[in-house]
């Protein structure tokens, strides 16, 4: 797994803001489209665009000529591009909120794993109860809890450079471990793999060039 970043000094009472916690919950229980809608609402009328002028939007909120469309459970999202943003300057997305969204999706992916593997027979038991599978799921849960704790303890101003890149990398790495547990089911076009792919794309779109390296 990627090296865990060391958060800067914080007070003992540092907590994630309630809107970020709600964003994480919605991403976990309702999926990407509702959570992405909340993220965009938090930015008001100004659309947050990545450093290359790209953004990911629920299809219902997009212009009729998107660059690419991603059909997902619960609704489609589209990749849009505004070249003027590169020249005029893009409004940065709230990285703390974006990480909470991705963490919520990661938690939802683990929930999907548990439900799917509990239904798959293996001898007289299920795949979920296999020792190796239980160990991998427990490790994934541990990483999720650690990521949540790191976000709780990291001030928004510290979410730049290596810290930001490492946190996004950890979310991606844990997601890929969970997808492998799902086997072919994890890579169906309308399944959890598609949502995990778009989650990775969110990081690519909104990381600044120096942070994406």
């Amino acid at each position: 797994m990627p090296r865990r970043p060391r958060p800067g000094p914080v007070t003992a009472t540092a907590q994630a803001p309630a809107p970020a916690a709600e964003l994480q919950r919605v991403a976990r229980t309702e999926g990407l489209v509702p959570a992405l809608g909340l993220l965009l609402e938090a930015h008001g009328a100004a659309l947050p665009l990545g450093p290359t002028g790209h953004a990911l939007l629920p299809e219902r909120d997009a212009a009729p000529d998107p660059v690419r469309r991603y059909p997902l459970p619960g609704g489609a999202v589209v990749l849009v591009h505004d070249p003027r943003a590169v020249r005029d300057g893009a409004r940065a997305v709230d990285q703390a909120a974006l990480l909470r969204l991705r963490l919520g999706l990661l938690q939802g992916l683990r929930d999907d794993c548990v439900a799917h593997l509990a239904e798959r027979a293996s001898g007289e038991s299920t795949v979920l109860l296999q020792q190796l599978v239980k160990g991998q799921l427990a490790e994934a849960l541990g990483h999720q809890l650690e990521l949540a704790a790191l976000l709780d303890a990291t001030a928004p101003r510290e979410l730049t450079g290596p810290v930001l890149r490492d946190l996004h990398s950890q979310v991606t790495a844990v997601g890929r471990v969970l997808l492998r547990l799902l086997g072919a089911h994890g890579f169906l076009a309308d399944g959890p793999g598609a949502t995990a792919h778009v989650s990775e794309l969110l990081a690519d779109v909104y990381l600044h060039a120096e942070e994406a390296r």
Side-chain angles (χ1 to χ4, degrees), residues 30-90:
E30 300 180 34
L32 177 58
V33 171
L36 190 56
L38 285 180
L39 179 65
L40 296 174
E41 286 175 11
H43 288 79
L47 173 67
L49 294 161
T52 60
H54 289 87
L56 276 164
L57 305 172
E59 187 175 40
R60 64 177 182 268
D61 299 331
D65 55 348
V67 175
R68 186 168 298 174
R69 179 178 184 270
Y70 299 90
L72 300 175
V77 298
V78 294
L79 179 68
V80 299
H81 183 237
D82 183 355
R84 295 171 299 177
V86 180
R87 182 190 68 235
D88 301 335

Side-chain angles (χ1 to χ4, degrees), residues 111-171:
D111 295 340
D112 288 341
C113 277
V114 171
H116 178 72
L117 297 176
E119 295 175 352
R120 290 190 60 197
S122 177
E124 296 181 356
S125 185
T126 66
V127 174
L128 179 63
L129 295 181
Q130 292 179 359
Q131 194 63 36
L132 179 61
V133 170
K134 289 196 296 184
Q136 289 177 300
L137 286 171
E139 184 177 2
L141 176 60
H143 285 303
Q144 289 174 16
L145 294 174
E146 186 173 354
L147 282 164
L150 283 168
L151 285 175
D152 287 346
T154 305
R157 65 179 180 276
E158 297 176 298
L159 290 175
T160 59
V163 171
L164 183 60
R165 183 171 61 248
D166 283 351
L167 287 169
H168 276 294
S169 294
Q170 288 181 60
V171 174

